[in-house]
Structures are given as structure tokens and as C-alpha cells.
Amino acid sequence: MTSQASNAASERDRVIIFDTTMRDGEQSPGASMSLEEKLELAKILEEMRVDVIEAGFPIASNGDFEAVRQISEIVTESTICGLARAAAIDIERCAEAIRPAKRGRIHTFLSTSPSHRDHILKMSQEDILEAITRSVTHARNLCDDVEWSAQDATRTEQDFLRRCVEAAIKAGAKTVNIPDTVGYSYPSEYEAIFRDLVENVPGVENIILSTHCHNDLGLAVANSLAGVQGGARQVEVAVNGIGERAGNAALEEVVMALKVRGDRLPYFSGAETQHITRASRYVSAITGFPVQFNKAIVGKNAFAHESGIHQDGMLKDRGTYEIMTPESVGQGGSNLVMGKHSGRHAFREKLKALGYELGQNALNEAFQRFKDLADKKKHVFDDDIVALVDDALASGADRIQVKQLRVIAGTEGPQEAHLTVTVEGVERSATATGDGPVDAVFNAIHEVVPHTAILRLFQVHAVTEGTDAQAQVSVRLEEDGRIATGQAADTDTLTASAKAYVNALNNLFARKEKTAPDAIASGF
């Protein structure tokens, strides 16, 4: 085989990684991200060498438009994609948002299943075909790279799905997505859909077929890989599998399945997997969605071995019980304990091993937090360091900050909280009672910072083991349809609770200033 032929064959086996964390992932209730958070996540995804970053839905709000536009300005390696319905106004708004991108893509969609045609769109098959041709043609006139999606494709009649895909190809789509919108498909069934399209649709050999699988039956990753075996060469995924309802196919699971099981999946992606854990932790921190301990690839216990038999095997040969190394996904090869005698250089190297590259000011602040924590705890573990760094990054530019807290609690109520905060540098204090110490703390915050937000989530978990473990608290607030999440960690659970609530308030106030009220929900 010539070198040119070999390269062509290799490209046919390459799977494009399309990340939709900032679009479909953000549609998870409570997972709203700020502009700054999206910009940082885009940088992480670019470093991971994700091929396509779906940065938002530009028509949905001014905030989404601005996120897509600014990400288009700063990302140079990945393709930046915006979502648009089949309406001309959506497509034009999307084209405007991605205009600064070195590589931009318009992603437009239309439902095709009988259920959606009859109950949502009130359109006939011929109406659908005409709308596909019109919308894709319009998008193609504004952007060279156009993707079209058949929403609810897996519940669409196969003969009609063929006609829809053919229409999109003729109108100029370079990528055609076949979403399992409601997570209904079974792997062999999903694979057969792609094989049918590859064999029966004219022109399909000149475009890329894509998967987009939801996890309602827990089959999103399995279906995505089956789609690849059936001929798809793009998979649409989200970090930690977040997304509508039960979520999307998890980026980390798809990428590592392709890497580890090349014997059965003779395909590859260009993703640099050592950035996976960093991306996972960042998405968890900004959304307030904790990663379950036994989550594949990125869970705390993914590389933990407690059984004596497993430990014995690991000591003899790591390959006995590990099919991949923690280093390959950026988890670090060990959980080295650090303490109050550890120096700045060791701390900086530990942060690098954990996937953090901090500027000097951020490093100095994180190191001081580490020293303060080491004075309280005998041993500081990796998870402790991750929690305190995420806490520092989350609260660095907060307008409201907790300065002092004292709580009176016990069996005899009511419990009482004495709180002092600074609001843009000005101190405010209050004393409040409540039905329990946490309620008293939150009531005190409400007195010093009056607001109408409703508490939707209060969640506490221990970062490490032991009575001196840090508590990591997540708080979710909702006001006028806007949702914001805050997180904080501290060895004192009540202090962490106060800081998390204040962090959520800061995020909520910031979003009120930056976003428009008329967001549009959409998902495949």
C-alpha cells in the first residue's frame, strides 16, 4: 500500500470528537455556566485536542451568543460550532456568532419522527424534506462547514430517514447527525441504522455520519460505539456525560474505549487523554454536579483497589486489575500525602500532577490555603488539594465574601448564626436563628444580602476520610428562571455551607447582568 493510500485508510478510521458540554450539557437542570467558565472550559477542550466544540445556541440568549462569539475568537485549533433551528433567523444569528472562528460550523436540525412531525411540528413528510433543503442551503451559503441533525432519528421510518439524509447531503451538509434523542435505541439496532444509510443513500461516502446518543437506558456509550462500527465517524459527547434528562454519551468513556479496545474497535481519535480528569473536575466544579465515586474513567474509585486479592495482584503486576493507567487519563499515579512541612515547589509539582497550571498570584493564594489546611489536618490528600484549589478559583473574584462566622448549635434550639460578610469591600453583619445551624446560616446571609432566590439544592459530602475531612458543599439557587450553582470546601461544614451559598449568589447576580431572559430549550 502506498503512503498516500495508507494515510487515506487511516483517515477513514479516525473518529471526530464533537463535544457538546456547553450546549446540550448546559441544558441539564441547574448546569448553567457563566461566560468566564465557558471560556476556560473551551481552553481545556482545545488542549485536549477535541475536534469540534459546540459552544452554545446563539439565538437562545445574548449570553449564549456572546459565549459562542468569544470562544470563536480565542480557540484556534478546534472547530467552533453553534446550534440553530431550521429557521433563517436562527441560522443567521449562528453565522454571526461563529464569524470570528478560524474554523466555524453551523449545526442546524429538524425533527423527522412521526411523533415529532404530528405532535410538535404539524408537518408532513414533504414539508420536512422541503424545510431540510431550505435550511441547509441557507446555512451553506453562510458557512462552508454545515452539519444537519435529524432530531429523534432513531424513531423515524428508515425509508424516510434515508430521504432526509439524502436531501441534507444534496443541500450541502458535510456532516449528518443521526441522534438517539430519547435514548431508546439498542446497540445492534443503532448500528444497523448507520449500515443502512451507508449502503443506500447516494453521496453518503462524501460526508461524515455522526452519533448523538442520550443515556435514558444507560446505553449512550454502547450505542455511540455501535454507531461507529456501523459507519459513523463523528461521536457527539459531553464531559461527565451531562446533558438532557439522563445525559449524553460521556466523552471520557468513548475516548478511552477507542483507545483501550483497539482490538475490537479499530478506530482512533486525536484526543490527548491526559487532560480528561482535569476537564471532568472542572465541569463538576462549575456545574455543582459531583462525579460519582464509581464513575468509569474519572471517578474517585476508578483506580482504587481495596480487595486483598486485587491489591496482591496490583503489587505483582498492575495489568492484573488495571486495563489502563491512571496517568493515561490525568489521574496521577499515586495519592501522595502532603503536610505542613511540604514546600512551595513540591506543592506546585503536585498541582501539575493533578492537572492544574496556576499563575503566580493564584499559586500563592492556593499555597496559603494549603498551609492553613495543613495546620488543621494531619494529612492533606490529593482530593483535599483539588477541593481547595477549585474553591479558590471559584471565589477569587466574588463581590460578596464570607469574612467571619460563629454558630451556636446543639439539642436546645433555636440555633443561631452570627455572620459578617464583605460586599464589594464593605462589611455587613447580621445575627439570625433557624431550624438547625445551616438554616440559621442561610437566614443570616439573607439578612445581609437581601434576595428572592429559592434554594433548590443543598448537598454535602466529605472530600476524604476521617473526622478532620474537608466538607465539600454544593448549593443551587433559582431566581426568575435563572439557576446558579456555588461550591466551597472547608474542614468546618457550616463555613463551607456559608461560602457555597454566597458563591451561588455571586454567580446568580453575575448572570442577571449578562444574560437575556428568553432562553430557548433544545435537545436531540
Side-chain angles (χ1 to χ4, degrees):
M1 184 183 290
T2 66
S3 175
Q4 186 174 1
S6 177
N7 289 338
S10 178
E11 275 304 299
R12 284 198 297 271
D13 294 332
R14 183 173 182 274
V15 176
I16 295 166
I17 302 300
F18 177 115
D19 180 86
T20 186
T21 306
M22 286 183 272
R23 202 278 300 168
D24 199 330
E26 194 188 27
Q27 290 173 200
S28 303
S32 181
M33 307 171 199
S34 70
L35 174 60
E36 292 75 14
E37 290 164 348
K38 285 189 173 185
L39 291 171
E40 182 61 29
L41 179 55
K43 293 175 187 175
I44 294 172
L45 294 173
E46 183 179 31
E47 288 177 19
M48 197 191 300
R49 301 188 71 79
V50 164
D51 299 288
V52 184
I53 300 172
E54 190 166 50
F57 191 0
I59 196 68
S61 71
N62 291 335
D64 249 32
F65 174 86
E66 200 57 31
V68 176
R69 188 185 66 78
Q70 291 198 32
I71 289 170
S72 296
E73 290 178 346
I74 66 168
V75 171
T76 59
E77 298 301 319
S78 304
T79 296
I80 302 305
C81 177
L83 184 69
R85 294 169 300 186
I89 188 171
D90 281 46
I91 293 168
E92 290 160 9
R93 185 70 165 161
C94 185
E96 184 182 354
I98 64 168
R99 188 169 294 128
K102 184 176 179 181
R103 282 178 283 273
R105 174 182 294 186
I106 294 175
H107 182 189
T108 186
F109 68 95
L110 188 64
S111 291
T112 56
S113 70
S115 173
H116 286 213
R117 293 195 312 261
D118 296 343
H119 300 297
I120 299 175
L121 300 176
K122 309 293 185 184
M123 294 171 69
S124 68
Q125 289 189 358
E126 294 308 314
D127 292 336
I128 295 290
L129 292 168
E130 182 183 342
I132 293 169
T133 300
R134 183 175 61 251
S135 59
V136 174
T137 299
H138 188 44
R140 188 64 178 77
N141 287 334
L142 298 173
C143 179
D144 185 57
D145 187 354
V146 173
E147 175 174 342
W148 178 75
S149 286
Q151 186 171 205
D152 205 23
T154 57
R155 295 194 297 172
T156 300
E157 309 93 329
Q158 192 64 26
D159 58 340
F160 181 56
L161 183 61
R162 291 189 208 112
R163 294 176 66 196
C164 291
V165 171
E166 184 177 359
I169 293 172
K170 286 181 176 178
K174 290 187 174 181
T175 302
V176 174
N177 182 29
I178 309 299
D180 185 23
T181 301
V182 293
Y184 180 73
S185 264
Y186 186 78
S188 58
E189 179 182 37
Y190 196 55
E191 178 181 355
I193 291 173
F194 283 92
R195 290 197 184 280
D196 178 80
L197 295 174
V198 168
E199 293 169 3
N200 295 303
V201 175
V204 75
E205 68 278 4
N206 299 319
I207 59 104
I208 298 291
L209 289 174
S210 178
T211 73
H212 182 114
C213 298
H214 280 267
N215 205 38
D216 298 70
L217 292 175
L219 295 171
V221 170
N223 280 331
S224 297
L225 297 173
V228 171
Q229 290 178 305
R233 287 299 179 268
Q234 175 177 284
V235 288
E236 303 193 2
V237 291
V239 176
N240 296 338
I242 67 172
E244 291 273 11
R245 301 180 315 279
N248 290 279
L251 178 151
E252 59 277 3
E253 295 176 26
V254 169
V255 167
M256 291 310 294
L258 291 172
K259 183 172 183 177
V260 173
R261 292 308 311 270
D263 57 328
R264 296 301 299 270
L265 297 164
Y267 317 103
F268 68 96
S269 78
E272 295 191 356
T273 62
Q274 68 271 23
H275 297 288
I276 282 176
T277 297
R278 177 185 171 206
S280 169
R281 287 171 173 165
Y282 186 72
V283 169
S284 177
I286 63 178
T287 60
F289 290 5
V291 175
Q292 66 194 63
F293 283 12
N294 63 330
K295 168 76 169 65
I297 316 299
V298 293
K300 180 180 177 181
N301 293 344
F303 297 95
H305 306 272
E306 185 169 339
S307 161
I309 295 173
H310 285 224
Q311 290 176 347
D312 179 64
M314 285 293 296
L315 290 170
K316 291 173 179 174
D317 186 326
R318 289 177 66 173
T320 55
Y321 286 102
E322 283 188 354
I323 60 172
M324 68 196 101
T325 66
E327 294 90 342
S328 68
V329 297
Q331 283 237 31
S334 61
N335 199 27
L336 298 179
V337 178
M338 298 186 71
K340 63 182 179 181
H341 299 298
S342 301
R344 188 182 301 268
H345 180 260
F347 181 69
R348 182 168 55 245
E349 292 304 309
K350 169 60 74 174
L351 289 181
K352 287 182 181 179
L354 294 172
Y356 292 94
E357 290 281 355
L358 302 184
Q360 192 59 46
N361 291 338
L363 175 65
N364 291 341
E365 182 179 348
F367 183 65
Q368 186 57 54
R369 284 178 177 242
F370 161 70
K371 284 293 191 180
D372 292 342
L373 181 61
D375 284 334
K376 299 176 183 178
K377 292 191 66 176
K378 184 176 180 181
H379 299 303
V380 180
F381 297 92
D382 287 2
D383 288 334
D384 288 314
I385 294 172
V386 168
L388 70 87
V389 173
D390 286 342
D391 189 28
L393 293 176
S395 62
D398 284 349
R399 294 161 54 187
I400 312 163
Q401 294 189 337
V402 176
K403 183 176 181 182
Q404 190 174 33
L405 176 66
R406 183 167 62 89
V407 180
I408 300 172
T411 58
E412 296 181 5
Q415 286 70 36
E416 189 172 85
H418 305 267
L419 174 72
T420 300
V421 302
T422 58
V423 181
E424 296 182 335
V426 179
E427 285 192 11
R428 297 183 186 176
S429 299
T431 297
T433 59
D435 184 12
V438 174
D439 189 44
V441 170
F442 289 178
N443 287 340
I445 293 172
H446 195 282
E447 287 198 25
V448 292
V449 188
H451 59 275
T452 59
I454 299 170
L455 179 66
R456 294 300 188 195
L457 172 74
F458 172 70
Q459 184 171 268
V460 183
H461 79 270
V463 174
T464 56
E465 292 75 27
T467 56
D468 63 351
Q470 288 190 96
Q472 188 163 56
V473 178
S474 296
V475 167
R476 187 177 303 147
L477 300 176
E478 181 178 357
E479 184 180 46
D480 297 331
R482 297 181 184 86
I483 296 175
T485 300
Q487 282 193 322
D490 198 279
T491 52
D492 185 300
T493 304
L494 296 175
T495 300
S497 300
K499 289 180 176 179
Y501 195 103
V502 165
N503 181 228
L505 274 180
N506 279 307
N507 291 336
L508 189 63
F509 293 158
R511 284 168 199 179
K512 285 174 69 175
E513 296 171 358
K514 294 177 182 177
T515 61
D518 53 343
I520 300 172
S522 159
F524 298 129

